């Protein structure tokens, strides 16, 4: 976290005083390990831990800079005067081996990163006795956190803004590493929800992974669509996962329809002072209204977002092979010719075909136990995992599309 600092004659008394205060304030065990001048690390003994937690002297001094300011904000977050630690749910193997902990967001006022063995969380868990040897719940090593470190106390953001940045960062990492990462809580039982990954896909070949510095401007603006996306990633059942992704389409489509309708209506009104308001002109406005109503039908939701928000040429490769073959037969094109010179009308036909597949698949899952009649457009069960890859990419595009919209239309 901080530059390397050694124990010196100038700071050893401060370190001892802070350790004593931690013992009195947070019931932290007094370490039996001695430390001396020249040491660069200090051992902290949290209760029920198998081993001492090791912190650099620089980190220890930063975490204990203002001990009286350390408070539990809620069941997820502990903060001091300029450091915030928020518990997250993350696959531990991924954190340790895939380089995810090397991603750092920074600007002139603060840094946001991930860390294990969170000192502030450990203090509160110790003070509140949030650990249980029988269930293997430890106060510190059990947790991974998002950590915000402010340059100084004058840079500290308000809590809603902090939370927004944290969720934007976690969404960025979830998408980058294809695994759900979300805000968690202190543990009160023996269970924990972690993301799932394919371990075979992760290998560093023993190489040191350098930090990846991320500009805060590269994070998409937070919206509840991000929470929905990470929730979908967390689902193991492939049918339920599909429905969770489809909910993002259902949330986006109405605003897309409204934007399109407003734009077309404004075009008609631009020259209103110079046009005769005859019946044909008024009928054209009624027609816009009818088209808008049609776009809001359940059967049209997927087509609306595919038509208005998506580059199908980029997404096409993620479709299951069986669906590619079915679409190419239906709309008479060759899969190898799916590129940017494909005529727009053909692209729109493909989008319509995909929308039928998504809608039919959704209905077949939702109405599986009722008298649902197959349409022939449903995705084969064996291909549903591959279709989930496609719809996840589609939903990410919708979140990016939403990010570009003005405040008037952007989903919050």
């Amino acid at each position: 976290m901080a530059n390397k600092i050694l124990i010196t004659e100038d700071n050893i008394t401060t370190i001892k005083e802070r350790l004593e205060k931690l013992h009195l304030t947070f019931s932290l065990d007094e370490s039996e390990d001695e430390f001396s001048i020249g040491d660069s690390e200090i051992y902290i003994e949290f209760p029920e831990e198998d081993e001492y937690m090791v912190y650099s002297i620089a980190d220890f001094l930063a975490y204990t800079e203002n001990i009286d300011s350390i408070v539990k904000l809620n069941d997820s977050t502990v903060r001091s005067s300029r450091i915030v630690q928020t518990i997250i749910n993350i696959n531990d193997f991924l954190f340790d081996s895939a380089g995810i902990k090397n991603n750092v967001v920074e600007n002139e006022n603060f840094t946001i990163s991930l860390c294990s063995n969170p000192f502030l969380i450990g203090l509160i868990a110790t003070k509140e006795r949030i650990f249980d040897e029988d269930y293997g719940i430890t106060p510190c090593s059990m947790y991974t956190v998002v950590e915000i470190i402010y340059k100084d106390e004058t840079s500290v953001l308000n809590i809603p803004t902090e939370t927004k940045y944290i969720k934007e960062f976690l969404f960025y990492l979830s998408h980058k590493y294809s695994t759900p990462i979300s805000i968690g809580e202190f543990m009160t039982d023996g269970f924990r929800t972690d993301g799932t990954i394919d371990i075979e896909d992760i290998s560093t070949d023993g190489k040191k992974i350098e930090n990846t510095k991320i500009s805060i401007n590269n994070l998409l603006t937070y919206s509840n669509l991000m929470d929905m996306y990470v929730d979908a990633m967390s689902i193991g059942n492939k049918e339920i996962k599909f429905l969770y992704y489809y909910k993002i389409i259902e949330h986006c489509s109405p605003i897309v329809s409204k934007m399109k309708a407003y734009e077309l209506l404004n075009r008609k009104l631009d020259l209103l002072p110079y046009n005769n308001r005859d019946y044909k002109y008024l009928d054209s406005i009624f027609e816009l209204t009818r088209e808008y109503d049609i776009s809001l039908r359940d059967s049209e939701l997927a087509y609306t977002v595919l038509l208005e928000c998506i580059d199908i040429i980029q997404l096409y490769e993620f479709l299951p092979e069986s669906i590619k073959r079915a679409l190419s037969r239906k709309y008479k094109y060759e899969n190898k010719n799916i590129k940017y010179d494909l005529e727009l009308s053909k692209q729109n036909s493909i989008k319509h075909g995909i929308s039928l597949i998504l809608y039919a698949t959704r209905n077949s899952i939702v109405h599986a136990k009722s008298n649902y009649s197959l349409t022939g457009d449903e995705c084969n069960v064996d291909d549903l995992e591959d279709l989930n890859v496609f719809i996840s990419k589609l939903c990410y595009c919708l979140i990016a599309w939403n990010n570009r919209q003005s405040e008037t239309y952007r989903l919050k």
Side-chain angles (χ1 to χ4, degrees):
M1 179 177 71
N3 295 327
K4 187 172 183 179
I5 297 176
L6 303 180
I7 296 179
T8 66
E9 291 182 356
D10 293 332
N11 63 25
I12 192 168
T13 299
T14 298
I15 292 170
K16 290 180 178 179
E17 289 174 349
R18 292 186 183 183
L19 284 171
E20 177 63 19
K21 190 163 187 177
L22 291 175
H23 170 64
L24 295 174
T25 305
F26 295 97
S27 302
L28 191 69
D29 292 342
E30 294 183 280
S31 175
E32 297 178 358
D33 273 24
E34 295 293 330
F35 54 86
S36 56
I37 291 174
D39 290 347
S40 61
E41 296 177 332
I42 190 168
Y43 295 84
I44 303 298
E45 186 175 355
F46 290 102
E48 305 298 344
E49 296 285 358
D50 292 335
E51 299 177 349
Y52 291 149
M53 298 296 103
V54 182
Y55 299 94
S56 69
I57 298 301
D59 286 356
F60 174 80
L61 291 173
Y63 288 132
T64 59
E65 185 178 87
N66 187 350
I67 293 174
D68 292 333
S69 70
I70 299 173
V71 295
K72 180 182 178 184
L73 186 63
N74 52 45
D75 287 338
S76 300
T77 301
V78 175
R79 68 184 310 136
S80 65
S81 56
R82 66 180 188 90
I83 299 176
V84 178
Q85 292 184 339
T86 296
I87 298 167
I88 60 172
N89 296 318
I90 185 172
N91 184 290
D92 292 331
F93 179 86
L94 176 65
F95 178 81
D96 291 333
S97 65
I100 192 170
K101 61 185 175 183
N102 298 87
N103 290 268
V104 180
V105 174
E106 58 183 9
N107 66 9
E108 65 277 9
N109 294 320
F110 58 82
T111 62
I112 308 176
S113 60
L114 304 185
C115 74
S116 56
N117 302 331
F119 189 87
L120 301 184
I121 294 293
L123 290 179
I124 294 297
T126 299
K127 181 179 181 179
E128 298 189 2
R129 317 304 291 175
I130 308 175
F131 53 84
D132 191 322
E133 182 179 13
D134 293 336
Y135 285 101
I137 298 176
T138 53
C140 184
S141 62
M142 185 69 69
Y143 300 100
T144 303
V145 299
V146 174
E147 183 174 77
I148 302 179
I149 304 176
Y150 292 100
K151 180 180 179 181
D152 51 52
E153 293 184 34
T154 64
S155 304
V156 175
L157 300 169
N158 59 50
I159 293 172
T161 302
E162 277 182 355
T163 303
K164 181 179 79 73
Y165 279 132
I166 288 171
K167 288 189 174 183
E168 289 171 358
F169 182 47
L170 295 183
F171 174 76
Y172 172 90
L173 296 175
S174 295
H175 180 257
K176 180 177 180 179
Y177 291 93
S178 299
T179 192
I181 309 171
S182 59
I183 292 177
E185 295 182 348
F186 282 98
M187 300 180 192
T188 56
D189 55 36
F191 301 95
R192 179 178 183 176
T193 302
D194 280 327
T196 58
I197 56 169
D198 184 351
I199 292 178
E200 294 180 353
D201 289 342
I202 296 177
S203 175
T204 61
D205 298 323
K207 298 178 182 177
K208 180 181 178 181
I209 301 177
E210 299 297 329
N211 282 355
T212 300
K213 294 184 178 180
I214 307 163
S215 168
I216 201 162
N217 295 324
N218 290 339
L219 301 181
L220 298 180
T221 301
Y222 172 74
S223 72
N224 67 343
L225 300 176
M226 293 180 175
D227 295 333
M228 296 166 66
Y229 184 91
V230 175
D231 285 346
M233 295 180 77
S234 304
I235 303 299
N237 182 286
K238 58 187 177 183
E239 293 183 338
I240 305 302
K241 182 188 289 286
F242 178 87
L243 294 180
Y244 267 62
Y245 280 127
Y246 198 89
K247 282 171 57 181
I248 297 177
I249 293 174
E250 293 175 326
H251 272 68
C252 290
S253 189
I255 196 69
V256 176
S257 295
K258 184 176 290 187
M259 288 177 61
K260 180 181 178 182
Y262 283 176
E263 174 60 24
L264 293 175
L265 181 58
N266 278 324
R267 291 178 192 177
K268 288 190 174 295
L269 298 177
D270 285 341
L271 291 177
L272 181 59
Y274 307 102
N275 285 339
N276 293 323
R277 286 184 284 180
D278 56 18
Y279 76 94
K280 291 183 179 179
Y281 176 79
L282 296 176
D283 278 349
S284 69
I285 294 178
F286 286 149
E287 181 61 26
L288 275 180
T289 303
R290 284 191 290 270
E291 290 177 359
Y292 173 67
D293 289 339
I294 291 172
S295 71
L296 297 179
R297 295 175 182 172
D298 286 348
S299 59
E300 297 295 320
L301 297 180
Y303 185 51
T304 297
V305 298
L306 283 164
L307 191 62
E308 302 296 332
C309 310
I310 301 302
D311 180 356
I312 196 58
I313 301 301
Q314 289 192 85
L315 283 181
Y316 188 84
E317 65 175 290
F318 299 106
L319 284 168
E321 290 299 323
S322 61
I323 290 179
K324 290 179 184 177
R325 291 193 296 270
L327 290 172
S328 65
R329 289 194 300 269
K330 184 174 183 179
Y331 297 109
K332 296 180 173 54
Y333 65 88
E334 295 185 24
N335 279 316
K336 64 181 180 181
N337 292 330
I338 297 299
K339 48 192 177 184
Y340 284 105
D341 59 0
L342 184 67
E343 59 268 28
L344 184 60
S345 61
K346 190 70 72 175
Q347 291 186 40
N348 290 343
S349 295
I350 293 171
K351 290 179 180 180
H352 186 255
I354 293 172
S355 73
L356 294 176
I357 291 168
L358 295 177
Y359 181 60
T361 302
R362 177 259 184 199
N363 287 344
S364 68
I365 297 171
V366 171
H367 304 296
K369 293 184 179 180
S370 63
N371 295 324
Y372 175 74
S373 299
L374 295 175
T375 66
D377 292 314
E378 295 79 8
C379 176
N380 189 294
V381 174
D382 294 337
D383 292 325
L384 190 53
E385 287 187 11
D386 289 337
L387 186 60
N388 278 335
V389 173
F390 171 83
I391 197 172
S392 71
K393 304 291 185 184
L394 167 60
C395 289
Y396 180 83
C397 290
L398 291 179
I399 293 170
W401 173 88
N402 182 66
N403 186 72
R404 295 195 305 273
Q405 305 313 306
S406 66
E407 286 290 326
T408 303
Y409 294 109
R410 187 187 305 144
L411 294 170
K412 302 299 191 292

